[in-house]
């Protein structure tokens, strides 16, 4: 397994944990939460795709 991919999975878990704490503090709606997660996943896939070149 690619070490970069393992790092991205770790960062995703860390981001999800942090976002959950921020979501409680800011009282984000579920739609806002899903939107942030989708944007994060797309950015991480783009970054990972750049490393394959």
């Amino acid at each position: 397994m690619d070490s970069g991919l393992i790092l991205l999975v770790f960062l995703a878990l860390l981001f999800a944990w942090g976002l959950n704490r921020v979501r409680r503090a800011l009282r984000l709606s579920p739609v806002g939460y899903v939107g942030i997660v989708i944007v994060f996943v797309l950015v991480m896939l783009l970054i990972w795709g750049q490393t394959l070149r």
Side-chain angles (χ1 to χ4, degrees):
M1 196 169 191
D2 185 20
S3 61
L5 190 58
I6 293 170
L7 178 63
L8 285 178
V9 169
F10 173 73
L11 286 174
L13 290 174
L14 191 63
F15 177 78
W17 176 77
L19 184 61
N20 200 22
R21 295 180 67 90
V22 170
R23 183 179 68 108
R24 284 190 207 143
L26 297 179
R27 300 176 195 263
L28 278 176
S29 68
V31 174
Y33 183 74
V34 168
I36 292 172
V37 169
I38 289 172
V39 168
F40 176 78
V41 167
L42 289 175
V43 168
M44 284 298 139
L45 286 174
L46 288 172
I47 292 171
W48 182 65
Q50 291 295 318
T51 62
L52 294 178
R53 289 183 173 200

